Amino acid sequence: MTEKILVIGANGQIGTELVNALRNVYGAEQVIASDIHDPVDAIRDTGPFEFVNVLDNDNLQHIFQKHQPTQVYLLAAILSAVGEQKPKMAWDLNMTGLIHVLDLAVEFKVAKVFWPSSIAVFGPHSPQFDTPQYCVMDPNTVYGFSKLAGERWCEYYFAKHGLDVRSIRYPGLIGWRANPGGGTTDYAVHIFHEALKTGKYESFLSAETALPMMYMDDAIRATLDLMNAPAESLTIRSAYNLAGISFTPTQLAEEIKKIIPGFEISYAESDPRQAIADSWPKSIDDSYAQKDWGWKLEYDLPAITAGMLTNLKKII
Ligand code: AKB
């Protein structure tokens, strides 16, 4: 089957990288990038683009009608930190956008849908270490409970409509091609930019705040591997835990110092993102992803650090 792939929210941190990875695999013309904003260079210069507002169902329907996608990736979302500033807007975008896409995917018989979930689905009463796939989940951010509700919708559409929806609970993502927008884990990207530009960084999370993180190359590979896995091997239709690698700002700074010896880190007195980070797992168990679709992490902390500094140095 010739694939026609629609990526909604293509301008963001994941979209920028995923669109190009998909274009390399399926061919530029087969991958329609779409976003509410003007395309970023990496998207515009490499293939077709459409303006899309996921909250405007008529607009979305027109795009489905025009392109008849076989796969849809819905990436448009408001992340954890911005979600706390605009709670109603975050709920609306994250929920209504998802339901629009799920309904259109059923109507247009889309073969596969990808929708990202997050470690933010866990909350203060979830086990903090090696957080299992199934456990108490009491997220206390709008982003977190919109992702948890979204997971339930995905599983529901699979069960009731046979829609082949697949999802991953991403840890914090670290990439050099695009900046993150409005998350709690963003420090782990900003720190590399500041290390190269100024040699110092003030972390908004405290020195010993451990969070699960992942290099973007691993995240993109995971996404493509999950989407290519045989449907019958998938036992989870909510979203798969992915562990990534857990570290604290102190540990990350130590790693950066091995390459930039004069690098200095300091810590903000207080920041609202700290409470969000404190409610999330410190490490994750991803045995279901390993078992069901052969997931294996490649980038550890030294590899992430080297990759970020080497690549960023070329572009900033
Ligand atoms: C955020 O920090 O909000 C995101 C996430 C972990 O989902 N990066």
Side-chain angles (χ1 to χ4, degrees):
M1 176 169 68
T2 308
E3 300 286 352
K4 193 67 155 202
I5 301 176
L6 175 64
V7 182
I8 303 168
N11 274 348
Q13 190 195 16
I14 301 176
T16 312
E17 307 232 15
L18 186 63
V19 164
N20 284 304
L22 289 167
R23 284 180 175 161
N24 286 337
V25 176
Y26 295 99
E29 292 308 312
Q30 303 313 114
V31 181
I32 320 299
S34 69
D35 203 283
I36 195 168
H37 298 297
D38 284 332
V40 295
D41 294 351
I43 297 290
R44 190 191 39 232
D45 300 345
T46 55
F49 177 85
E50 296 274 8
F51 283 99
V52 160
N53 175 0
V54 276
L55 296 179
D56 179 345
N57 208 34
D58 291 342
N59 168 222
L60 208 49
Q61 185 161 37
H62 167 75
I63 299 295
F64 273 67
Q65 182 75 52
K66 180 172 167 191
H67 294 287
Q68 303 285 329
T70 58
Q71 292 186 33
V72 175
Y73 292 71
L74 169 60
L75 307 176
I78 291 184
L79 300 190
S80 57
V82 172
E84 294 310 287
Q85 288 152 18
K86 300 172 182 170
K88 304 272 168 50
M89 194 193 278
W91 177 257
D92 198 27
L93 177 67
N94 296 357
M95 277 300 82
T96 310
L98 173 61
I99 291 179
H100 281 168
V101 169
L102 292 176
D103 278 336
L104 287 169
V106 172
E107 185 183 334
F108 285 87
K109 300 191 173 31
V110 174
K112 285 183 216 170
V113 175
F114 181 83
W115 173 81
S117 187
S118 160
I119 56 160
V121 292
F122 297 109
H125 292 87
S126 306
Q128 280 205 312
F129 294 94
D130 285 334
T131 309
Q133 179 73 36
Y134 298 106
C135 60
V136 170
M137 296 165 96
D138 58 345
N140 55 14
T141 62
V142 175
Y143 173 66
F145 57 76
S146 71
K147 287 292 176 188
L148 183 52
E151 287 189 5
R152 306 318 307 152
W153 278 115
C154 289
E155 195 183 284
Y156 186 83
Y157 271 71
F158 173 72
K160 302 283 174 196
H161 300 285
L163 183 64
D164 188 347
V165 195
R166 304 177 181 204
S167 178
I168 284 173
R169 292 174 181 155
Y170 289 117
L173 298 181
I174 303 177
W176 55 273
R177 289 187 187 85
N179 276 323
T184 301
T185 58
D186 295 9
Y187 93 86
V189 177
H190 297 155
I191 193 169
F192 290 105
H193 288 258
E194 291 307 312
L196 287 168
K197 281 195 243 162
T198 65
K200 52 183 197 272
Y201 179 67
E202 184 182 87
S203 170
F204 56 77
L205 295 185
S206 69
E208 301 310 325
T209 305
L211 284 173
M213 302 279 186
M214 183 177 279
Y215 197 45
M216 192 56 92
D217 295 39
D218 270 334
I220 299 297
R221 186 170 51 82
T223 310
L224 299 182
D225 284 358
L226 172 62
M227 288 299 273
N228 288 328
E232 57 279 9
S233 68
L234 303 180
T235 59
I236 290 171
R237 292 300 182 154
S238 50
Y240 278 91
N241 272 12
L242 274 199
I245 171 106
S246 291
F247 55 80
T248 64
T250 310
Q251 288 167 324
L252 178 53
E254 286 309 314
E255 212 52 53
I256 292 175
K257 276 186 210 165
K258 291 182 190 163
I259 299 176
I260 305 176
F263 177 67
E264 286 170 26
I265 186 159
S266 58
Y267 297 93
E269 295 256 302
S270 76
D271 188 286
R273 288 166 285 192
Q274 185 65 46
I276 301 177
D278 290 341
S279 76
W280 287 353
K282 299 193 185 310
S283 59
I284 299 273
D285 175 310
D286 65 7
S287 42
Y288 279 87
Q290 294 176 36
K291 186 165 55 69
D292 287 3
W293 42 280
W295 168 245
K296 198 170 179 314
L297 188 82
E298 274 180 14
Y299 288 82
D300 59 9
L301 182 53
I304 294 173
T305 309
M308 285 298 285
L309 292 175
T310 312
N311 288 303
L312 270 182
K313 208 186 287 178
K314 295 179 202 152
I315 58 167
I316 62 175

